[in-house]
Amino acid sequence: MGLSSGDGTRMKVVTGDAGYVLEDVPHLSDYIADLPTYPNPLRSNPAYAVVKQYFVHVDDTVPQKVVVHKDGPRGIHFRRAGPRQQVYFETDEVHACIVTCGGLCPGLNTVIREIVCGLNYMYGVTKILGIDGGYRGFYSKNTITLNPKVVNDIHKRGGTILGTSRGGHDTMKIVDSIQDRGINQVYIIGGDGTQKGASVIYEEIRQRGLKVAVAGIPKTIDNDIPVIDKSFGFDTAVEEAQRAINAAHVEAESVENGIGVVKLMGRYSGFIAMYATLASRDVDCCLIPESPFFLEGKGGLYEFIEKRLKENGHMVIVIAEGAGQDLVAESLQSNQQDASGNRLLQDVGLWISHKIRDHFARQQKMGITLKYIDPTYMIRAVPSNASDNVNCTLLAQSAVHGAMAGFTGFTVGLVNTRHTYIPFNRVTERQNKVVITDRMWARLLSSTNQPSFLVLKDGVEEAKEEEEPSFLRSKNGVEEAKEEEEPSFSRSKNGVEEAKEKKGLDVREA
Ligand SMILES: Nc1ncnc2c1ncn2[C@@H]1O[C@H](COP(=O)(O)OP(=O)(O)OP(=O)(O)O)[C@@H](O)[C@H]1O
Ligand SMILES: O=P(O)(O)OC[C@H]1O[C@](O)(CO)[C@@H](O)[C@@H]1O
Ligand SMILES: [Mg+2]
């Protein structure tokens, strides 16, 4: 086995036979010599006495790719999460803190609760602080004392009891605050920006040689964090979106030529819109940032609306907030950003509703009634549902086990249904997006029977180039497919799928 570490990102990579690669996470012992270890208190915890194999084997890793071919390499693996026989902190020594950053997401309170209860019930830790109001709270606000009693029923509430914010990431001030307060475990809950912030905090802590474990718990209803199966809160958001879609459907089917338009969150990734559409069955057309669309002419949205109204008398359109931004920008220019530097988007739901109304009014062939529903914040301000609560609990416990075991600079996440520790750079280097050449998007198209908005060119479907949103392109001008997923159909020479091949999709594979 070979170990290579250390460009700027301090990658710890272990290689093995048959193309095995472990992308390992840092450990406190990487930069602090002679750290003492202690038996894990869980070894004498009656709740675990009956559990065989409760402790994770030191060599357990989880493959990123589960679909493999006979002669293919075994690929990238991540360290399996869970309790270790030996820990690197004594119970009384631990002084933990928790911070939540970025937008709200169902389940934040559950994760906070379970970190507190996990630290206290499993490891006997009593010194736990809440950081008030996101990263800037480290240096500009008082802390909140946390214990199991304080957090007992917070999982029933939406939002975060700690408060959150965008911007205000001052690495030096944050690490000074961690050092001054004697904090040695930092639990950071947030999205892609937050994990980038966590990564630089970890680097600074390492530079200073501090015995401080930094653990990230990825949060985003957009589900745009790469590598992991799904982020917590996503299922709840999709479920909540059903109410808005239902309302749009009821309104639309109650009138002649009724159209319901629902805008859902998803800045750069259309996962919420895609899953809400697949779950509902009432949606006729789903528009996402990754799939450019156009309005006028053959194969365009207006033509499809007219067709659907003639067939069914009503229709429902779900649009992700980041969809069609280039089209909106033609009439409304804005380069505004939020405090974290995220681009503020135009209201595409409102824009498209006006466009559709205008079109049918001008055309005078068909009178329509359009209702626009914008449940944006309603789907993320709710408490998490049952399955997300379980998800949050396991993520929180995994983070606690990891920090106690001395791992640092990691994000916890489900990879192929197993909990893992993933190096920060892996989850921050790109955003997870719907890959429209993947089978999931094909399944959606099959379910809604909507147009693909690709135009025929020499018998081959192609995206209308000028309408591809430029802000969606990655560095090389190419979207990266979610690596663990196989493209659903083979590519034609110019990188575009042929319509015929799509229909031959093998749907037997889940
Ligand atoms: N590259 C970065 N380096 C350091 N800190 C960052 C970086 N990007 C974002 N942050 C900080 O992380 C915090 C959260 O970032 P952001 O507002 O982008 O939300 P997020 O974590 O991406 O969540 P959401 O999914 O809601 O957008 C902010 O305090 C921001 O200042
Ligand atoms: O209005 P806010 O709170 O800045 O957040 C809006 C953004 O946050 C997200 O919900 C991600 O957390 C995006 O879907 C959305 O664009
Ligand atoms: Mg973000």
Side-chain angles (χ1 to χ4, degrees), residues 100-105 133-136 164-171 174 189-201 219-225 267 338-342 380 431:
T100 51
C101 312
L104 291 183
C105 175
Y135 279 133
R136 61 164 60 93
T164 185
S165 63
R166 298 192 188 274
H169 186 284
D170 186 323
T171 314
I174 292 169
I189 313 168
D192 56 339
T194 305
Q195 302 303 314
K196 285 178 195 156
S199 176
V200 287
I201 289 172
K219 166 243 61 133
T220 156
I221 58 162
D222 291 356
N223 201 30
D224 57 4
I225 306 254
R267 247 190 221 133
D338 69 16
S340 295
N342 300 303
R380 72 172 204 188
Q431 275 177 320

Short mmCIF file of all heavy atoms in Angstrom, two decimals, residues 100-105 133-136 164-171 174 189-201 219-225 267 338-342 380 431, ligand 1:
data_model
loop_
_atom_site.label_atom_id
_atom_site.label_comp_id
_atom_site.label_asym_id
_atom_site.label_seq_id
_atom_site.Cartn_x
_atom_site.Cartn_y
_atom_site.Cartn_z
N THR A 100 -24.38 26.43 13.20
CA THR A 100 -25.16 26.19 11.98
C THR A 100 -25.02 27.42 11.06
O THR A 100 -25.14 28.56 11.53
CB THR A 100 -26.65 25.94 12.29
OG1 THR A 100 -27.14 26.98 13.15
CG2 THR A 100 -26.87 24.61 12.98
N CYS A 101 -24.77 27.18 9.78
CA CYS A 101 -24.54 28.29 8.83
C CYS A 101 -25.34 28.09 7.54
O CYS A 101 -25.71 26.96 7.20
CB CYS A 101 -23.06 28.37 8.46
SG CYS A 101 -21.93 28.30 9.83
N GLY A 102 -25.52 29.18 6.80
CA GLY A 102 -26.21 29.10 5.50
C GLY A 102 -27.73 29.14 5.67
O GLY A 102 -28.24 29.58 6.71
N GLY A 103 -28.45 28.72 4.64
CA GLY A 103 -29.92 28.76 4.68
C GLY A 103 -30.49 27.69 5.59
O GLY A 103 -29.80 26.76 5.99
N LEU A 104 -31.77 27.83 5.91
CA LEU A 104 -32.42 26.84 6.77
C LEU A 104 -32.63 25.54 6.03
O LEU A 104 -32.59 25.49 4.79
CB LEU A 104 -33.76 27.37 7.26
CG LEU A 104 -33.72 28.52 8.24
CD1 LEU A 104 -35.14 28.87 8.69
CD2 LEU A 104 -32.84 28.20 9.44
N CYS A 105 -32.88 24.50 6.79
CA CYS A 105 -33.07 23.17 6.22
C CYS A 105 -33.79 22.32 7.27
O CYS A 105 -33.40 22.38 8.45
CB CYS A 105 -31.70 22.60 5.89
SG CYS A 105 -31.72 20.92 5.30
N GLY A 133 -25.78 32.19 15.76
CA GLY A 133 -25.87 32.96 14.50
C GLY A 133 -24.77 32.71 13.49
O GLY A 133 -24.28 33.66 12.86
N GLY A 134 -24.36 31.47 13.30
CA GLY A 134 -23.42 31.15 12.22
C GLY A 134 -21.97 31.51 12.55
O GLY A 134 -21.64 31.80 13.71
N TYR A 135 -21.12 31.51 11.52
CA TYR A 135 -19.68 31.70 11.74
C TYR A 135 -19.35 32.98 12.51
O TYR A 135 -18.47 33.00 13.36
CB TYR A 135 -18.95 31.71 10.39
CG TYR A 135 -18.67 30.34 9.83
CD1 TYR A 135 -18.94 30.03 8.49
CD2 TYR A 135 -18.11 29.34 10.62
CE1 TYR A 135 -18.67 28.77 7.97
CE2 TYR A 135 -17.83 28.07 10.11
CZ TYR A 135 -18.11 27.79 8.78
OH TYR A 135 -17.84 26.56 8.27
N ARG A 136 -20.06 34.04 12.18
CA ARG A 136 -19.69 35.31 12.84
C ARG A 136 -19.97 35.26 14.34
O ARG A 136 -19.38 36.03 15.10
CB ARG A 136 -20.39 36.50 12.18
CG ARG A 136 -21.92 36.47 12.23
CD ARG A 136 -22.46 37.86 11.92
NE ARG A 136 -22.06 38.31 10.60
CZ ARG A 136 -22.77 38.15 9.47
NH1 ARG A 136 -23.94 37.53 9.55
NH2 ARG A 136 -22.35 38.59 8.33
N THR A 164 -28.61 31.24 12.35
CA THR A 164 -27.69 31.00 11.24
C THR A 164 -27.39 32.31 10.55
O THR A 164 -28.04 33.33 10.81
CB THR A 164 -28.30 29.96 10.26
OG1 THR A 164 -27.33 29.65 9.26
CG2 THR A 164 -29.57 30.48 9.58
N SER A 165 -26.42 32.32 9.66
CA SER A 165 -26.15 33.54 8.88
C SER A 165 -25.34 33.19 7.64
O SER A 165 -24.80 32.09 7.52
CB SER A 165 -25.37 34.56 9.72
OG SER A 165 -24.10 34.03 10.07
N ARG A 166 -25.29 34.14 6.73
CA ARG A 166 -24.41 34.05 5.57
C ARG A 166 -23.31 35.10 5.75
O ARG A 166 -23.50 36.10 6.43
CB ARG A 166 -25.18 34.28 4.27
CG ARG A 166 -26.28 33.24 4.03
CD ARG A 166 -26.81 33.34 2.60
NE ARG A 166 -27.97 32.49 2.39
CZ ARG A 166 -27.90 31.20 2.05
NH1 ARG A 166 -26.74 30.62 1.89
NH2 ARG A 166 -29.01 30.50 1.85
N GLY A 167 -22.17 34.87 5.11
CA GLY A 167 -21.05 35.80 5.24
C GLY A 167 -20.41 35.71 6.61
O GLY A 167 -20.70 34.79 7.39
N GLY A 168 -19.51 36.67 6.90
CA GLY A 168 -18.92 36.76 8.25
C GLY A 168 -17.93 35.68 8.60
O GLY A 168 -17.68 35.43 9.78
N HIS A 169 -17.36 35.01 7.57
CA HIS A 169 -16.36 33.98 7.89
C HIS A 169 -14.99 34.63 7.98
O HIS A 169 -14.34 34.88 6.97
CB HIS A 169 -16.36 32.88 6.82
CG HIS A 169 -15.46 31.74 7.19
ND1 HIS A 169 -14.09 31.83 7.08
CD2 HIS A 169 -15.72 30.52 7.68
CE1 HIS A 169 -13.56 30.69 7.49
NE2 HIS A 169 -14.53 29.88 7.85
N ASP A 170 -14.54 34.90 9.21
CA ASP A 170 -13.20 35.46 9.43
C ASP A 170 -12.38 34.36 10.10
O ASP A 170 -12.47 34.17 11.32
CB ASP A 170 -13.32 36.72 10.30
CG ASP A 170 -11.99 37.44 10.44
OD1 ASP A 170 -10.94 36.74 10.54
OD2 ASP A 170 -11.99 38.68 10.47
N THR A 171 -11.57 33.67 9.30
CA THR A 171 -10.90 32.46 9.78
C THR A 171 -10.08 32.72 11.05
O THR A 171 -10.18 31.95 12.02
CB THR A 171 -9.97 31.89 8.69
OG1 THR A 171 -10.68 31.87 7.46
CG2 THR A 171 -9.52 30.49 9.02
N ILE A 174 -12.21 33.34 14.07
CA ILE A 174 -12.92 32.12 14.48
C ILE A 174 -11.97 31.19 15.22
O ILE A 174 -12.29 30.67 16.31
CB ILE A 174 -13.54 31.42 13.24
CG1 ILE A 174 -14.67 32.27 12.66
CG2 ILE A 174 -14.05 30.03 13.60
CD1 ILE A 174 -15.17 31.81 11.29
N ILE A 189 -22.40 22.60 10.93
CA ILE A 189 -23.52 22.11 10.11
C ILE A 189 -23.84 23.16 9.05
O ILE A 189 -24.15 24.31 9.37
CB ILE A 189 -24.78 21.86 10.99
CG1 ILE A 189 -24.41 21.08 12.26
CG2 ILE A 189 -25.85 21.12 10.19
CD1 ILE A 189 -25.51 21.03 13.31
N GLY A 190 -23.76 22.78 7.78
CA GLY A 190 -24.06 23.74 6.73
C GLY A 190 -23.81 23.18 5.35
O GLY A 190 -23.33 22.05 5.19
N GLY A 191 -24.09 24.01 4.35
CA GLY A 191 -24.01 23.58 2.95
C GLY A 191 -22.60 23.66 2.38
O GLY A 191 -21.61 23.66 3.12
N ASP A 192 -22.51 23.79 1.06
CA ASP A 192 -21.20 23.76 0.39
C ASP A 192 -20.30 24.90 0.86
O ASP A 192 -19.11 24.69 1.15
CB ASP A 192 -21.38 23.77 -1.13
CG ASP A 192 -22.21 24.95 -1.62
OD1 ASP A 192 -22.96 25.53 -0.83
OD2 ASP A 192 -22.10 25.29 -2.82
N GLY A 193 -20.87 26.10 0.99
CA GLY A 193 -20.08 27.24 1.48
C GLY A 193 -19.58 26.97 2.89
O GLY A 193 -18.40 27.23 3.21
N THR A 194 -20.46 26.47 3.72
CA THR A 194 -20.08 26.19 5.12
C THR A 194 -18.95 25.16 5.19
O THR A 194 -18.02 25.30 6.00
CB THR A 194 -21.32 25.64 5.87
OG1 THR A 194 -22.37 26.57 5.74
CG2 THR A 194 -21.01 25.41 7.34
N GLN A 195 -19.02 24.14 4.33
CA GLN A 195 -17.98 23.10 4.36
C GLN A 195 -16.64 23.69 3.88
O GLN A 195 -15.58 23.30 4.37
CB GLN A 195 -18.37 21.89 3.51
CG GLN A 195 -19.69 21.22 3.93
CD GLN A 195 -19.72 20.75 5.40
OE1 GLN A 195 -18.78 20.14 5.88
NE2 GLN A 195 -20.81 21.06 6.09
N LYS A 196 -16.70 24.64 2.94
CA LYS A 196 -15.45 25.33 2.53
C LYS A 196 -14.89 26.11 3.72
O LYS A 196 -13.68 26.12 3.96
CB LYS A 196 -15.73 26.30 1.37
CG LYS A 196 -15.92 25.59 0.05
CD LYS A 196 -16.25 26.60 -1.06
CE LYS A 196 -16.80 25.86 -2.27
NZ LYS A 196 -17.62 26.70 -3.13
N GLY A 197 -15.80 26.77 4.43
CA GLY A 197 -15.39 27.51 5.63
C GLY A 197 -14.79 26.57 6.67
O GLY A 197 -13.77 26.89 7.31
N ALA A 198 -15.40 25.40 6.83
CA ALA A 198 -14.91 24.41 7.81
C ALA A 198 -13.52 23.94 7.42
O ALA A 198 -12.65 23.72 8.27
CB ALA A 198 -15.88 23.23 7.88
N SER A 199 -13.31 23.79 6.12
CA SER A 199 -12.03 23.31 5.63
C SER A 199 -10.90 24.30 5.96
O SER A 199 -9.82 23.90 6.41
CB SER A 199 -12.14 23.11 4.11
OG SER A 199 -10.92 22.73 3.58
N VAL A 200 -11.16 25.60 5.79
CA VAL A 200 -10.09 26.57 6.10
C VAL A 200 -9.90 26.70 7.62
O VAL A 200 -8.78 26.93 8.09
CB VAL A 200 -10.28 27.96 5.42
CG1 VAL A 200 -10.00 27.89 3.95
CG2 VAL A 200 -11.64 28.56 5.67
N ILE A 201 -10.96 26.50 8.37
CA ILE A 201 -10.81 26.50 9.84
C ILE A 201 -9.91 25.32 10.25
O ILE A 201 -8.98 25.47 11.05
CB ILE A 201 -12.19 26.39 10.54
CG1 ILE A 201 -12.97 27.69 10.36
CG2 ILE A 201 -12.04 26.05 12.03
CD1 ILE A 201 -14.42 27.62 10.83
N LYS A 219 -25.42 20.07 5.05
CA LYS A 219 -26.83 20.46 5.10
C LYS A 219 -27.20 21.18 3.83
O LYS A 219 -26.51 22.10 3.43
CB LYS A 219 -27.04 21.39 6.30
CG LYS A 219 -28.32 22.14 6.29
CD LYS A 219 -28.18 23.66 6.19
CE LYS A 219 -27.50 24.20 4.98
NZ LYS A 219 -28.18 25.32 4.32
N THR A 220 -28.21 20.77 3.16
CA THR A 220 -28.75 21.55 2.04
C THR A 220 -30.01 20.90 1.51
O THR A 220 -29.99 19.71 1.19
CB THR A 220 -27.74 21.68 0.88
OG1 THR A 220 -28.47 21.94 -0.33
CG2 THR A 220 -26.94 20.43 0.66
N ILE A 221 -31.08 21.67 1.42
CA ILE A 221 -32.28 21.06 0.82
C ILE A 221 -32.08 20.90 -0.68
O ILE A 221 -32.76 20.12 -1.31
CB ILE A 221 -33.58 21.85 1.09
CG1 ILE A 221 -33.47 23.28 0.59
CG2 ILE A 221 -33.98 21.78 2.53
CD1 ILE A 221 -34.83 23.93 0.45
N ASP A 222 -31.12 21.64 -1.25
CA ASP A 222 -30.89 21.53 -2.70
C ASP A 222 -30.27 20.20 -3.09
O ASP A 222 -30.25 19.84 -4.26
CB ASP A 222 -29.96 22.66 -3.18
CG ASP A 222 -30.60 24.02 -3.09
OD1 ASP A 222 -31.80 24.08 -2.74
OD2 ASP A 222 -29.92 25.02 -3.37
N ASN A 223 -29.73 19.47 -2.11
CA ASN A 223 -29.05 18.19 -2.35
C ASN A 223 -27.86 18.37 -3.31
O ASN A 223 -27.56 17.48 -4.09
CB ASN A 223 -30.04 17.17 -2.93
CG ASN A 223 -29.57 15.74 -2.72
OD1 ASN A 223 -28.89 15.44 -1.74
ND2 ASN A 223 -29.89 14.86 -3.65
N ASP A 224 -27.19 19.52 -3.20
CA ASP A 224 -26.13 19.80 -4.17
C ASP A 224 -24.72 19.45 -3.67
O ASP A 224 -23.73 19.85 -4.25
CB ASP A 224 -26.18 21.27 -4.63
CG ASP A 224 -26.09 22.26 -3.49
OD1 ASP A 224 -25.91 21.83 -2.33
OD2 ASP A 224 -26.19 23.47 -3.74
N ILE A 225 -24.65 18.71 -2.55
CA ILE A 225 -23.33 18.28 -2.06
C ILE A 225 -22.95 16.99 -2.79
O ILE A 225 -23.72 16.03 -2.77
CB ILE A 225 -23.37 18.04 -0.54
CG1 ILE A 225 -23.91 19.27 0.17
CG2 ILE A 225 -22.01 17.57 -0.02
CD1 ILE A 225 -22.97 20.12 0.93
N ARG A 267 -31.03 26.38 -6.52
CA ARG A 267 -30.29 27.45 -7.20
C ARG A 267 -29.60 26.94 -8.45
O ARG A 267 -29.75 27.47 -9.53
CB ARG A 267 -29.22 27.96 -6.24
CG ARG A 267 -29.42 29.33 -5.77
CD ARG A 267 -28.16 29.74 -5.05
NE ARG A 267 -28.50 30.48 -3.84
CZ ARG A 267 -27.97 30.26 -2.66
NH1 ARG A 267 -27.09 29.30 -2.51
NH2 ARG A 267 -28.32 30.99 -1.64
N ASP A 338 -25.65 37.58 -2.29
CA ASP A 338 -25.94 37.62 -0.86
C ASP A 338 -24.62 37.80 -0.10
O ASP A 338 -23.54 37.89 -0.70
CB ASP A 338 -26.73 36.38 -0.40
CG ASP A 338 -25.91 35.08 -0.46
OD1 ASP A 338 -24.68 35.15 -0.55
OD2 ASP A 338 -26.52 34.01 -0.41
N ALA A 339 -24.70 37.82 1.24
CA ALA A 339 -23.51 38.12 2.06
C ALA A 339 -22.40 37.08 1.88
O ALA A 339 -21.24 37.36 2.16
CB ALA A 339 -23.92 38.20 3.53
N SER A 340 -22.75 35.88 1.43
CA SER A 340 -21.73 34.84 1.21
C SER A 340 -21.19 34.85 -0.21
O SER A 340 -20.36 34.02 -0.56
CB SER A 340 -22.32 33.45 1.50
OG SER A 340 -22.67 33.32 2.84
N GLY A 341 -21.70 35.75 -1.04
CA GLY A 341 -21.23 35.81 -2.42
C GLY A 341 -22.04 34.95 -3.37
O GLY A 341 -21.71 34.81 -4.55
N ASN A 342 -23.14 34.34 -2.89
CA ASN A 342 -24.00 33.56 -3.79
C ASN A 342 -24.82 34.52 -4.64
O ASN A 342 -25.35 35.51 -4.12
CB ASN A 342 -24.97 32.67 -3.00
CG ASN A 342 -24.25 31.69 -2.11
OD1 ASN A 342 -23.44 30.90 -2.58
ND2 ASN A 342 -24.52 31.75 -0.81
N ARG A 380 -38.72 24.63 3.49
CA ARG A 380 -37.49 24.41 4.27
C ARG A 380 -37.60 24.86 5.73
O ARG A 380 -36.71 24.61 6.52
CB ARG A 380 -36.29 25.08 3.59
CG ARG A 380 -36.27 26.58 3.66
CD ARG A 380 -34.96 27.15 3.14
NE ARG A 380 -34.74 28.45 3.70
CZ ARG A 380 -33.78 29.29 3.35
NH1 ARG A 380 -32.94 28.94 2.40
NH2 ARG A 380 -33.64 30.45 3.93
N GLN A 431 -20.22 20.98 -7.33
CA GLN A 431 -21.58 20.86 -6.81
C GLN A 431 -22.28 19.69 -7.48
O GLN A 431 -22.03 19.42 -8.66
CB GLN A 431 -22.37 22.13 -7.10
CG GLN A 431 -22.16 23.20 -6.06
CD GLN A 431 -22.87 24.47 -6.42
OE1 GLN A 431 -22.90 24.87 -7.58
NE2 GLN A 431 -23.44 25.13 -5.44
N1 LIG B 1 -14.96 29.69 0.24
C1 LIG B 1 -15.31 29.96 1.50
N2 LIG B 1 -14.37 30.09 2.44
C2 LIG B 1 -14.69 30.37 3.73
N3 LIG B 1 -15.96 30.53 4.15
C3 LIG B 1 -16.94 30.41 3.25
C4 LIG B 1 -16.68 30.12 1.88
N4 LIG B 1 -17.86 30.07 1.23
C5 LIG B 1 -18.81 30.32 2.14
N5 LIG B 1 -18.28 30.51 3.36
C6 LIG B 1 -19.00 30.82 4.60
O1 LIG B 1 -19.87 29.75 4.91
C7 LIG B 1 -21.10 30.24 5.43
C8 LIG B 1 -22.25 29.66 4.68
O2 LIG B 1 -22.09 29.84 3.26
P1 LIG B 1 -23.35 30.01 2.30
O3 LIG B 1 -24.13 31.20 2.73
O4 LIG B 1 -22.86 29.97 0.91
O5 LIG B 1 -24.29 28.80 2.65
P2 LIG B 1 -24.12 27.24 2.42
O6 LIG B 1 -23.33 26.68 3.54
O7 LIG B 1 -23.59 27.01 1.06
O8 LIG B 1 -25.59 26.77 2.59
P3 LIG B 1 -26.78 26.91 1.52
O9 LIG B 1 -27.01 25.54 1.03
O10 LIG B 1 -27.91 27.40 2.32
O11 LIG B 1 -26.37 27.88 0.48
C9 LIG B 1 -21.05 31.75 5.36
O12 LIG B 1 -20.82 32.25 6.67
C10 LIG B 1 -19.89 32.04 4.43
O13 LIG B 1 -19.21 33.22 4.77
#
